[in-house]
Amino acid sequence: MRQISTALKLDENRLASPAALAAYRESILAERDPNRPIIIVCHGTGCLATNSPKVADTLRRAIAAAGLQAQVVPEIKTTGCHGFCSRGPLVIFHPTGLFYQRVQPEDVEEIVQTTLLEGKPVERLLYVDPNTGEHIVHDHDIPFYKYQQRLVLRNIGKIDPADIRDTIAAGGYQSLAKVLAGMTPEEVIAVVETSGLRGRGGGGFLAGRKWRLAVENVRKSPGPVYVVGNGDEGDPGAFMDRTLMEGDPHAVLEGMIIGAYALGAQQGYIYVRLEYPLAVRHLSVAIEQARALGLLGQNILGTGFDFDIKINRGAGAFVCGEETALIASLEGRVGEPKTRPPYPAEKGLWNRPTIINNVETWGNVPQIIEKGADWFAGMGVPHSTGTKIFSLVGKVNNVGLVEVPMGITLGRIVEEIGGGVPGRDEFKAVQTGGPSGGCIPWELKDTPVDFDSLTRVGSMMGSGGMIVMDKRDCMVDVAKYFLEFLMDESCGKCVPCRMGLERMHAMLGEFTMGKGSLEDLDELHSLAEGIKDGSLCALGGTAPNPVLSTIRYFRDEYEAHILHKTCPGKVCRELITYAINSELCNGCTLCARECPAGAITGVKKKPHEINSSLCIKCGVCFEVCKPEAVEIL
Amino acid sequence: MISFTINDREVTGQEGWTILEVAKWHGIDIPTLCYHGAVEPYGACRLCVVEVDDGQQRRLVASCLHPVQEGLKVQTDSERVKNVRRWILQMMVDEHPGSQRIKELAKSYGVKESRFKSDRVEDLCILCGLCVRACDEVVGARAISLGNRGVRKEVATTHRLPSPECVACGTCLYVCPTGAMEQLFDRIRG
Ligand SMILES: Cc1cc2nc3c(=O)[nH]c(=O)nc-3n(C[C@H](O)[C@H](O)[C@H](O)COP(=O)(O)O)c2cc1C
Ligand code: SF4
Ligand code: FES
Ligand code: FES
């Protein structure tokens, strides 16, 4: 565990009242020199993997060795993920916002010399806009950040998540203090209701309404009640919840404590995906520190309110993120979904009313309390208020985690924040909503990204996955890819999902081989509708989306496979052949040396040839050929 | 008393009853495979789905689990319902061609010959879980459970060894809708 809790001397007094929290914050701020420069070295999961701890260490040592004068010795801070992991490790200088990307320990000496001593940027470490070629100096000018509206992520990348004083200095737990100092549970619920906050975990149910239902159920049947944070995040490629739990764990805790107060719960659980050890660690540290300060545990802020949170490691299956399966798993049973109703708000954990919300949903709560329901409802669009975090991946220049106001168009996310498509290929589609989302064709790029608009075009918000696809993607293959994932994740309880996903996958497999008929395509469509209608839980209920949306918008591609035995995206192996264009080939022999099947022959400096009966269609020649002489037919 | 309609017919049921229970009471037929009056409903086969309209939304629910609601409009044989049942039975016949019960049901829903055929014709278990629930809830022995996930799901004993809890009462044989338990029984009882 990195220099945690040492940061917080645990003999510091528990805060005995909401006013004591404010005083504590003042004392932290007073201790800090607002003019002291800070160098932020990203310590999110992505940058950790690309050597950021070594960068931070080297920086610390180099700064000490450089003998900088006392008042300018920068503080080095390790923070959570900045969302731009593909450019990591990131090093950012505050207060200027000077932004360096892909920094390695070897670069440190030059950084100290040029930037710290001479006050100039190191050109080669700056971000280069792939579209204009321009070197950009400051983080706020980089298009990836410029068009974002970071509210849930506001502290991430600024605070050290392992030091609660950083959180408190940034305003953390103020909303809790406000609630405990003078709001009734009813008032809290009313604020959340008016804000229009909808669940960020997939279903998009109104959080305030869910809380209200739970409270009514408690009234009807008094007894223990629970709050749960869903941090299971099983979507491949998604990392919004991980980033939040790792980078600003207190935001999640604070939201849950406020929710617990509204409901009258004394115990909460955060269910964290098995593969997120850093999130578990940061949350554990955050819980420990919050307890030490009296922000969690017994008699919170001296107001007599008791509430504590336990962390549970996920069971490792995608379906365990489904709320009824998650509850079963928390109770120690097999993580399998149950038919709803009853909903958790009526019969959840141990058959008691339970509010289960996604961790991003919880992370929104403190600011709604702080700035008010109207402020929140004023952002986004009428039925989808506030912001949403997306994980933008695929064929775009800037991949990463972005937070934008609801209702922004797909096209703006992809073109302005994503910086467009790399290379010469054109956009084809954007897949949203995780594995069981739908593919939205590029013609619909003006679709506003909100819960209802995405559903209307046959996709969904899901938890915020966004995969950009270009002309080199085959939509039949894409559908098959997602089905493969979902099929493996089906819990197997209900027949439409257990057998149906396997059957859809088999039918898609036939199409990718050029087999099947148009009647089979109609059958696939009716099977997809049947699974959607008939499945027990939303895994099976949404799993047909990739199939239905691609048939709806890319029927021509299905027909090309079935009728013409061609794959327009040039992906499906059975339907493509590799050939060398003799006019472009310069006879460099590279492809012949790389081909694992020995299918390429030719004399040096003379055009080469591919023997298609030996070719295994691995595509290596296509990748390595410099003059782009290899063609896919 | 809660009043609602099934196939446009006015019906009434008690609070807490399921749609299936009320339908049975009124002699309206809904096919089931994983339901048995003696154990808790499980909602796995989905053959009992019906289309419901609560004034806000039309959707399909499992009638063996869905509680009756005032004013609900239930259709037991709509096109969407038939489509779900046809596909469930299609895939079941393809997977378990040996079961007479499924063959008959399939015939009545217009299931066709299919090019997808199981290579394990002798496998009759449709994983309805009736044996597991009966063993637990009726007998109290808990000799068997559903193990594994997804397409690998199976009825099994601990470590797949004959179960010391099994009292060889044969209740599971009785509730099994396809006869699969007849093949399994000797391995469970040991
Ligand atoms: C297969 C499946 C997986 C899910 N995985 C997650 C997940 O990883 N995280 C999450 O917050 N919600 C997940 N959900 C949604 C939850 O069931 C539930 O709707 C959510 O936790 C409610 O919180 P919210 O209203 O704040 O979104 C999943 C749903 C399904 C059907
Ligand atoms: S829909 Fe799939 S995941 Fe959900 S209960 Fe049925 S088999 Fe399990
Ligand atoms: S981990 Fe550093 S930007 Fe994501
Ligand atoms: S009888 Fe209702 S789901 Fe099987």
Side-chain angles (χ1 to χ4, degrees), chain A residues 311-393:
Chain A
I311 299 174
N312 276 68
R313 306 287 299 260
F318 177 67
V319 77
C320 286
E322 195 280 335
E323 54 189 22
T324 60
L326 188 151
I327 286 170
S329 177
L330 277 180
E331 291 174 355
R333 293 183 288 117
V334 180
E336 218 164 65
K338 278 200 311 197
T339 301
R340 303 174 308 179
Y343 289 88
E346 184 191 343
K347 284 187 177 161
L349 200 54
W350 320 115
N351 269 326
R352 295 292 308 160
T354 301
I355 300 178
I356 170 162
N357 274 128
N358 169 260
V359 290
E360 186 185 335
T361 315
W362 288 120
N364 270 292
V365 171
Q367 4 182 19
I368 292 175
I369 297 293
E370 181 194 335
K371 300 186 191 136
D374 293 338
W375 165 81
F376 192 82
M379 286 181 299
V381 287
H383 294 289
S384 297
T385 53
T387 58
K388 175 78 191 88
I389 312 174
F390 291 95
S391 116
L392 181 65
V393 296

Side-chain angles (χ1 to χ4, degrees), chain A residues 316-319 334 336 339-341 343 487-496 498-500 502-503 506-507 510 516 520 523-524 526-527 529-531 533-536, chain B residues 42-46 49 59-62 65-67 80-81 83-84 86-88 90-92 94-96 112 114-117 125-127 146 148-153:
Chain A
F318 177 67
V319 77
V334 180
E336 218 164 65
T339 301
R340 303 174 308 179
Y343 289 88
M487 179 176 95
D488 285 342
E489 295 298 338
S490 164
C491 83
K493 178 173 179 177
C494 74
V495 175
R498 180 181 74 234
M499 293 184 146
E502 198 183 24
R503 178 66 59 92
M507 294 173 89
E510 291 181 332
D520 292 335
E523 282 288 277
L524 175 62
S526 89
L527 172 57
E529 293 285 4
I531 296 169
D533 275 342
S535 292
L536 189 161
Chain B
Y42 182 55
C45 76
R46 315 305 283 179
V49 287
R59 61 198 173 109
L60 268 61
V61 299
L65 274 159
H66 201 84
R80 277 168 81 185
V81 167
N83 186 50
V84 173
R86 173 172 80 85
W87 274 108
I88 290 172
Q90 174 82 59
M91 294 186 291
M92 280 193 173
D94 295 347
E95 242 0 80
H96 313 287
K112 290 175 266 186
S114 150
R115 64 189 181 290
F116 295 96
K117 284 265 158 51
C125 177
I126 56 165
L127 301 167
L146 283 166
N148 267 328
R149 187 157 59 92
V151 289
R152 286 172 300 279
K153 208 178 192 70

Side-chain angles (χ1 to χ4, degrees), chain A residues 258-312:
Chain A
I258 293 170
Y261 173 78
L263 183 63
Q266 300 199 338
Q267 184 63 54
Y269 298 87
I270 306 183
Y271 191 88
V272 187
R273 181 176 171 166
L274 186 66
E275 291 88 344
Y276 287 176
L278 192 63
V280 169
R281 228 188 291 160
H282 285 189
L283 281 166
S284 313
V285 168
I287 288 175
E288 204 181 291
Q289 298 185 347
R291 272 191 206 134
L293 284 179
L295 295 163
L296 195 62
Q298 295 201 338
N299 195 15
I300 293 174
L301 287 178
T303 59
F305 166 50
D306 302 336
F307 173 67
D308 212 342
I309 295 179
K310 275 201 200 109
I311 299 174
N312 276 68

